[in-house]
Amino acid sequence: MAETKPAGTLGVAIVGAGMMGAVHSRASRLAGAQIKGIATSSPERAKEAAAQLGIGRAYSNADEAIADPAVQVIHICTPNSTHYPLAMAALAAGKHVVCEKPLATSLADAKALANAAHSAQRVAAVPFVYRYHPMVREARALVKDGTVGALQLIHGSYLQDWLLGRDDTNWRVDAALGGPSRAFADIGSHWCDLIEWISGERFESVVATLQTTMKDRPAGSVATFSAVTPDASAARQAVTTEDIAGALFRTQAGVLTTLTVSQVSAGRKNRLWFEIDGANASLVFDQEEPEKLWLGERDSTRLFVRDPSRGSAEQRRLATLPAGHAQGYAQCFEAFVADTYAAIRGETREGLPTFDDGYRSGQIIDAVLGSSKAGAWTQI
Ligand code: SOE
């Protein structure tokens, strides 16, 4: 399909009305698009969501959104198992696509989507949004310019606690909706994407173990981060997806990397943390304190502070508020969507995560699942 660069305001449709539907809608508006309508699992729910989010039209279903000639971009914010059919249909209809991660629930589907995006010549982006923290851009620049030196060790974790209790549940717990991996695909995927992107390394092999601490949880398709009222008589479903993952990677250049992932670590809300240790210096970033980047050297340590007038070009570009006026997750998401729309207009922006990155993430998830099953080192 020939590429056509849309002139004027982009028309957007949102598919899905959970927490992420609201996040995508806000970012889309801030990036100057016009939201033409929203589709969800039912026409009734779409009407409610349209009213809540101030969107003019409630589509009867996703097909109607995809067929809308006023729409150039489809944002897919639905459970994981629906990403593949929806993104395929949107690309086939000539739309640009923003699809939540994990891109698909099987490696074959992720690959097919990446291929379809190339053949359709459409912008197809996956929100690995932590790339948009200005301090993450600074970390990448410090690895690139040699400040850190030859990489020797990478380690870290991504910990949450929103599934700690026996009555906590979510649609992701059900493999039929969320896919065969939960904690790793949901949040471990962010960590791996960041590390490969910052370090320029590629994970080559992995040995991983997955663990399910909560053997059953309340049945039903519950929205992310919503509390379920404990009810002793509520039906429960067996849990087949992991609460915890431990992985040891070796990169192509031979750098050992360890990662701990958990959605059941009390007190940890959204703690993506990593340390990159090089021959000259070590770097530490903590997503819950995203305004700072720690750089340790043998003789001294430094704290970089996000600042639109200091540091690397990409740090400055994404630091939209003055230093000391905290930026965070919302600004990352907004910058990601703004860069996606810039790409649709034919502009080049550094670090836009695409369906290729979604497929790459699928390769890592697949190898982690395979390694855990086989109890052995596995090639990625
Ligand atoms: C839930 O674990 C979640 O919302 C993830 O799905 C997001 O990708 C992550 O950014 C925050 O936590």
Side-chain angles (χ1 to χ4, degrees), residues 22 34 66 72 116-117 131 148 154 183 214 220 240 297 308 356:
Q34 210 173 69
I66 291 168
Q72 287 91 49
R131 288 187 186 192
V148 174
I154 301 172
M214 195 61 70
T240 58
E297 288 165 317
D356 287 340

Side-chain angles (χ1 to χ4, degrees), residues 38-62:
I38 184 162
T40 74
S41 48
S42 72
E44 295 71 40
R45 177 77 192 99
K47 277 186 199 137
E48 266 173 44
Q52 266 163 15
L53 298 170
I55 295 175
R57 179 171 176 193
Y59 298 109
S60 325
N61 52 44

Side-chain angles (χ1 to χ4, degrees), residues 82-151:
T82 62
H83 293 175
Y84 174 79
L86 290 173
M88 272 298 185
L91 288 168
K95 309 295 182 183
H96 303 279
V97 182
V98 180
C99 181
E100 266 303 329
K101 38 120 296 265
L103 180 57
T105 50
S106 79
L107 184 57
D109 286 357
K111 186 171 188 196
L113 281 172
N115 289 340
H118 284 290
S119 322
Q121 295 179 33
R122 289 296 175 261
V123 173
V126 177
F128 283 121
V129 292
Y130 298 127
R131 288 187 186 192
Y132 288 83
H133 278 299
M135 289 293 101
V136 162
R137 301 273 161 158
E138 193 65 16
R140 188 164 185 259
L142 292 168
V143 172
K144 260 190 155 176
D145 73 9
T147 303
V148 174
L151 302 186

Side-chain angles (χ1 to χ4, degrees), residues 19 101 130 158 160 162 172 186-187 190 224-225 263 270 329:
M19 163 203 165
K101 38 120 296 265
Y130 298 127
Y158 194 162
Q160 298 178 331
W162 63 288
R172 287 184 173 83
D186 185 32
I187 58 175
H190 274 297
T224 308
F225 295 122
Q263 293 187 312
N270 201 28
Y329 175 82

